[in-house]
Amino acid sequence: MSRRILILVALSLIGVATPASAQILSNPGGALGPLGQAIPSLPTQRLPVVGAVLPNQQQEQERQEMAASALAQPSLDRIGVGNVIDTFGSKPLARLRDQRLRTMILQFSEQLDRDKNGNPVRRGELVVIDPDAQALADVASAGFVPLREEAVLGLRFVVLSIPDRGGDIRKAMKRLAKAASGLDLEYNHVFEPAGGPLATTYSVALASGASLTAKGSLIAMIDGGVAAHESLKGAAIRQRGFVGKVVPTGHGTAVASLLVGDAGRFKGAAIGARLLVADVYGGNPAAGSATAIVRALGWAEENNAQVVNISLVGPPNKLLEKAIAQLQTRKIRVVAAVGNDGPAAPPQYPASYDGVVAVTGVDAQGRALREAGRAKHLDFAAPGADMAAALPAGGYAEVRGTSFAAPLAAARLAAIGSIENLSREAVDGKGKVGRGIVCSTCAISPKTVGAK
């Protein structure tokens, strides 16, 4: 059976994968199987074309199917696609992305629906931006009920419940547009961590450390919650949940450690900086909505953050775009990862918005990651492979993906204050790296800290 056929078989079987186990991925650069077990490294050689599947070929096929199944599962704890990219190549990653989103919507069907392009949205919810009194009256007469009204960053928006909350949200959108023409309408899209695979952990959430009134730059990160970890003991961190209580995740913990971690030979890129952690998931992969992210952006602005790191990806969303534009008028810079679904996937947001610093990842040789996604523009690269980050359960893991490059770029931007200065310190890389690689020496080798 050829490698191409194996890939197609693996892709076809993703839809029946079981939910991902609530564990941390422990094999470097690997993935979790359906029951949370580590998947062996996948060889990259082409298998011979034969009429029957030999035992060793069958084992290889099963490993590939497990790898594909793991990548198709929604997770708040991915730490990298690892050598799965060598098995599947970059182009099928876009198909894996589509299947992952379908799996996510199916797995959380009571909470999620899809827009016309198949992107996950909050079920039964539509958003109207800056409506006037007459518009709201028209909306009510059409059977749409206001769930909540919010004012953030100079924007006013109302989240509406559709008449049949379990009904087709795409049809509801068309009905609403017809009932109240001229309204600025949007879905409440759901955004994913751009980790590429760390399931929600049962670790203790990090308590606030040193006072945020201390000197030093102030960075905000919008992600999952952060767990208590030895590298974060002395850091000035404040956490806040935007969809309930703060719930630690592997992804959020890894990103925070890359920013302000400091323990022995492990050093984050912004030691001494103060950190705001906005948890927009509360441990639920079906959270992470545009409205939660916008509220988190408002919190960052209220606390005078200088830079906001968003290692999340999703589709274009008008409410989020307007909120980021408002941040920019307040001289707050947003840094975002381009994602890990390969260049064949659609451009990802918020990295693709004007003025957002879009960041990709490179390996230890300065080569752009093959699985890196794309944005409508690319500003910089930073280390995104061959590096360690904190694990919630203690110790460190080898991480890979643009999620972990973005905080390094955010750290440098906060330290030196401008895109122009960041451009001047960027060094050349190989492949698509934007203006160059920043924080090129910031990655901590996994061997240095005994990463799992």
Side-chain angles (χ1 to χ4, degrees), residues 202-216:
Y202 297 99
S203 301
V204 176
L206 177 71
S208 293
S211 172
L212 287 181
T213 60
K215 293 182 179 180

Side-chain angles (χ1 to χ4, degrees), residues 6 13 18 26 39 52 91-92 131 153 191 209 211 240 264 293-294 296 302 307 325 329 334 374 383 408 411-412:
L6 284 173
L13 292 176
T18 58
S26 59
I39 296 173
K91 197 166 185 179
L153 291 168
F191 290 71
S211 172
R240 178 175 171 182
I293 294 172
V294 168
E302 290 170 5
V307 176
T329 66
V334 176
R374 63 190 176 102
L408 302 185
R412 291 306 303 152

Side-chain angles (χ1 to χ4, degrees), residues 402-426:
T402 63
S403 266
F404 312 113
L408 302 185
R412 291 306 303 152
L413 181 57
I416 62 180
S418 73
I419 298 297
E420 293 72 26
N421 289 339
L422 204 57
S423 296
R424 280 192 281 270
E425 77 170 34

Side-chain angles (χ1 to χ4, degrees), residues 89-289:
S90 58
K91 197 166 185 179
L93 280 179
R95 296 171 60 190
L96 284 168
R97 169 190 175 272
D98 293 340
Q99 185 59 59
R100 185 181 70 247
L101 295 182
R102 287 195 292 269
T103 301
M104 180 179 181
I105 294 168
L106 179 63
Q107 186 172 333
F108 297 95
S109 58
E110 293 185 0
Q111 301 173 56
L112 299 178
D113 202 335
R114 62 182 177 86
D115 69 8
K116 63 182 181 180
N117 295 316
N119 296 301
V121 300
R122 295 294 296 176
R123 176 170 291 280
E125 294 184 4
L126 293 173
V127 179
V128 56
I129 305 168
D130 289 326
D132 58 26
Q134 183 57 54
L136 288 178
D138 294 340
V139 163
S141 65
F144 292 83
V145 178
L147 293 174
R148 58 187 181 274
E149 180 175 331
E150 301 184 52
V152 181
L153 291 168
L155 297 171
R156 176 171 160 266
F157 60 93
V158 181
V159 179
L160 304 170
S161 175
I162 67 176
D164 177 8
R165 190 164 177 81
D168 188 324
I169 199 161
R170 298 169 300 285
K171 292 181 179 178
M173 174 66 88
K174 292 180 180 178
R175 177 178 171 183
L176 181 57
K178 185 177 180 180
S181 60
L183 279 180
D184 201 356
L185 303 176
E186 186 55 280
Y187 295 100
N188 198 2
H189 287 108
V190 168
F191 290 71
E192 299 180 283
L198 263 172
T200 298
T201 74
Y202 297 99
S203 301
V204 176
L206 177 71
S208 293
S211 172
L212 287 181
T213 60
K215 293 182 179 180
S217 56
L218 180 60
I219 303 171
M221 56 173 276
I222 298 177
D223 212 294
V226 174
H229 189 273
E230 59 180 358
S231 69
L232 301 172
K233 284 181 179 178
I237 298 177
R238 179 186 299 162
Q239 297 202 76
R240 178 175 171 182
F242 286 85
V243 287
K245 68 178 183 179
V246 172
V247 177
T249 65
H251 192 271
T253 304
V255 169
S257 72
L258 292 170
L259 285 166
V260 298
D262 184 11
R265 301 180 72 180
F266 183 86
K267 305 292 181 183
I271 295 174
R274 299 164 294 155
L275 182 63
L276 295 170
V277 178
D279 179 2
V280 295
Y281 292 101
N284 179 8
S289 66

